[in-house]
Amino acid sequence: MVMRIFPRSIRARLTAIATAIAALVVFATSTFMLVTVPDNLRDVVRDRVEVSVRRIASDARAGELSTALQAPARVHFLEVVTPSGDVLASTTGRDVHWKLKAFRPAEPDKLYVKEAWAPHERNAGETHFLVMAMSVPTPNGLVAVYGASSLTDVDRAIRWFEIQTFVIAPLILASVMGITWLVVGSALRPVERIRSKLAEITGQDLSRRVPVPDTGDEITLLAATTNDTLDRLERSAETQRRFVADASHELRSPIAALRTQLEVANAIPEETDWSATGARALAAVDRLTGIIDELLMLARLDAGAVAPRRVVDMCRLAAEQVRRRGDARVAIVPDLCASAPVHGSPVQLDRILTNLLDNATRHAETRIDLEVAVEDDRWVVVTVTDDGEGIAPEDRERVFERFTRLDSAKAKDQSGSGLGLPLSREIALSHGGTLTIADHSPGARFVLVLPSYQGA
């Protein structure tokens, strides 16, 4: 079993990351403060004592030393001592017991610093002092100048700072952890509602939608996108259900007709014209084959399958269609350019022409115009125009819906499946083109536009 460093929950992961970052910041800040603050506080005391010692040393060097030294605030002790230990001058009222002989400045004009614990008359115990000493030559010989200041306030401040650091740091981390947990939980609450709603949606009922929060953030966009996806899924499922129902209905008719013919022929074989019965059965089988072929091609197009493609000359395909329809009910009048190459499936492109010409043949009165042209060296435009009753503007998109047949089409041909035009448009779209119905009177004009082949 693989060990996970982070928990699976996004809420827990973000809380852990935020806490880790906060811990790193607090640790770095605390370490910096613990390193710098004590030294800075001691430097303040040292500067104060150093100024006093150098002032007294300057007076002693000039022979202007007073026996009663005045110590500034927070400097507890000043004293001038000869090498033999005689006290020449000192502060008054601030008696501190020092073992000064153990701390003698050796070199003249060099400042020596030491921290020491010494008894103070005002304190029952010992006090922590910062002591500084300097030897200085005077008119009466070499003397040592001493100064001291208590570090009690500094030690107390450092101790409180350390206590607060080690107490407040865990509180900060606990606060960051708790706040992050609550904030992330609040932010992810809409996601949980979306998840629970999605879990309730099934393939049998795609009408339900997830709640869209009004926060206007990425979760709002996620919910809106999810609902849009559910809308598309619902439309697709409804289309599939309608497609299956329509396909079943279309297949049932020729199968029922074929079965009826065979049952009648089988019931009275001696009175059956087997030649006519076979012809009718073949016609029903042909219709079944055509419907099944169109359904299979639509299924492949819906699945995104790409048929083998090569360079196809639409002029040549159109000319072949005209040749095959030489004995058709309505004459086809071609207007073809020299060459109109496209890159596509020969079978599918020929199927478009077949469907368009079959549709025009059913509705035309006297003629069908077939035009193939190249526009702007970029597009191959195929136009099929009939002089029939035409298609109303409100029906020009509906005829491209699967199994849709207008009343005029049913009256002219009962054997149609309503798949030819939808299949033709799907083929055009799969080749990067379009198939539309343009304004024309009389009759209908179908316009197929495909990208022209530009070479390798």
Side-chain angles (χ1 to χ4, degrees):
M1 182 176 180
V2 180
M3 298 294 294
R4 293 180 59 86
I5 299 177
F6 292 101
R8 293 182 180 273
S9 169
I10 294 179
R11 188 181 190 183
R13 284 205 302 269
L14 291 178
T15 301
I17 292 172
T19 305
I21 294 175
L24 181 61
V25 173
V26 170
F27 175 78
T29 304
S30 300
T31 302
F32 176 77
M33 298 294 289
L34 290 173
V35 170
T36 59
V37 168
D39 290 340
N40 290 337
L41 293 177
R42 283 184 170 85
D43 287 343
V44 172
V45 177
R46 178 173 176 168
D47 292 341
R48 186 185 304 129
V49 177
E50 182 179 352
V51 170
S52 299
V53 170
R54 289 188 182 278
R55 178 176 58 82
I56 299 301
S58 177
D59 291 344
R61 185 181 291 108
E64 301 175 354
L65 187 64
S66 174
T67 57
L69 302 178
Q70 295 296 323
R74 296 186 179 276
V75 176
H76 295 82
F77 176 72
L78 289 172
E79 192 173 69
V80 181
V81 182
T82 64
S84 61
D86 296 330
V87 177
L88 299 179
S90 67
T91 53
T92 58
R94 298 184 182 181
D95 297 328
V96 180
H97 301 290
W98 297 99
K99 297 179 181 180
L100 298 178
K101 293 182 180 180
F103 180 41
R104 296 283 184 174
E107 300 180 17
D109 296 325
K110 182 178 180 181
L111 195 64
Y112 291 84
V113 183
K114 180 180 181 180
E115 292 186 16
W117 289 85
H120 193 287
E121 288 185 352
R122 298 181 182 179
N123 296 333
E126 290 188 333
T127 302
H128 189 197
F129 284 94
L130 175 71
V131 184
M132 301 184 75
M134 175 188 287
S135 293
V136 59
T138 67
N140 299 321
L142 194 68
V143 297
V145 180
Y146 291 91
S149 181
S150 173
L151 291 173
T152 301
D153 292 341
V154 174
D155 293 340
R156 185 182 297 113
I158 293 174
R159 185 161 51 254
W160 274 107
F161 176 74
E162 291 175 345
I163 292 174
Q164 291 178 2
T165 298
F166 291 109
V167 171
I168 293 177
L171 293 178
I172 292 176
L173 294 181
S175 300
V176 170
M177 182 181 299
I179 293 173
T180 305
W181 181 265
L182 293 176
V183 170
V184 174
S186 176
L188 293 179
R189 196 168 295 118
V191 177
E192 174 60 26
R193 289 197 291 267
I194 293 173
R195 186 205 63 79
S196 61
K197 284 294 183 182
L198 280 175
E200 298 172 1
I201 297 175
T202 62
Q204 285 72 32
D205 182 14
L206 292 174
S207 61
R208 307 180 68 175
R209 296 295 179 265
V210 301
V212 179
D214 57 358
T215 54
D217 54 11
E218 290 82 356
I219 297 178
T220 300
L221 296 177
L222 172 63
T225 303
T226 301
N227 284 337
D228 290 341
T229 302
L230 290 173
D231 289 339
R232 292 193 298 270
L233 286 175
E234 184 179 19
R235 289 194 299 268
S236 177
E238 180 60 29
T239 300
Q240 292 297 328
R241 283 194 290 266
R242 188 168 62 250
F243 179 80
V244 172
D246 292 341
S248 300
H249 175 74
E250 291 296 330
L251 290 173
R252 186 182 296 112
S253 296
I255 291 176
L258 178 61
R259 181 182 183 85
T260 300
Q261 294 170 15
L262 295 177
E263 286 178 346
V264 171
N266 186 60
I268 49 175
E270 64 280 358
E271 299 180 7
T272 299
D273 184 350
W274 288 102
S275 177
T277 300
R280 289 192 297 269
L282 285 176
V285 170
D286 288 341
R287 186 184 176 195
L288 279 173
T289 302
I291 294 174
I292 292 173
D293 289 343
E294 290 177 336
L295 288 174
L296 288 176
M297 188 172 292
L298 279 172
R300 294 191 187 100
L301 291 173
D302 289 341
V306 179
R309 297 188 177 186
R310 60 180 176 83
V311 179
V312 180
D313 188 349
M314 294 301 294
C315 288
R316 183 175 298 177
L317 281 183
E320 178 63 22
Q321 285 281 344
V322 174
R323 186 191 63 80
R324 292 203 304 260
R325 297 170 183 269
D327 56 350
R329 181 183 67 84
V330 181
I332 300 176
V333 180
D335 182 8
L336 311 179
C337 61
S339 177
V342 298
H343 187 262
S345 166
V347 175
Q348 292 181 354
L349 294 176
D350 186 67
R351 189 56 175 267
I352 291 182
L353 293 179
T354 299
N355 291 342
L356 294 179
L357 291 173
D358 285 348
N359 180 76
T361 300
R362 282 193 295 269
H363 296 279
E365 296 293 339
T366 59
R367 61 179 286 169
I368 299 172
D369 292 298
L370 173 60
E371 180 184 357
V372 180
V374 178
E375 293 185 358
D376 299 330
D377 293 328
R378 297 177 53 201
W379 305 102
V380 172
V381 180
V382 180
T383 304
V384 178
T385 307
D386 65 71
D387 59 352
E389 69 278 8
I391 301 176
E394 62 272 15
D395 293 327
R396 289 178 182 176
E397 281 300 315
R398 198 162 67 89
V399 296
F400 291 108
E401 297 177 2
R402 299 175 184 183
F403 298 106
T404 296
R405 302 185 67 206
L406 303 180
D407 293 338
S408 59
K410 294 179 181 178
K412 290 180 178 295
D413 186 4
Q414 294 291 333
S415 63
S417 64
L419 291 174
L421 293 179
L423 176 60
S424 299
R425 171 169 279 188
E426 292 294 335
I427 294 173
L429 293 175
S430 70
H431 283 74
T434 60
L435 177 60
T436 57
I437 301 176
D439 290 331
H440 184 265
S441 181
R445 172 172 290 175
F446 287 81
V447 180
L448 170 66
V449 181
L450 297 172
S452 176
Y453 178 71
Q454 302 298 322

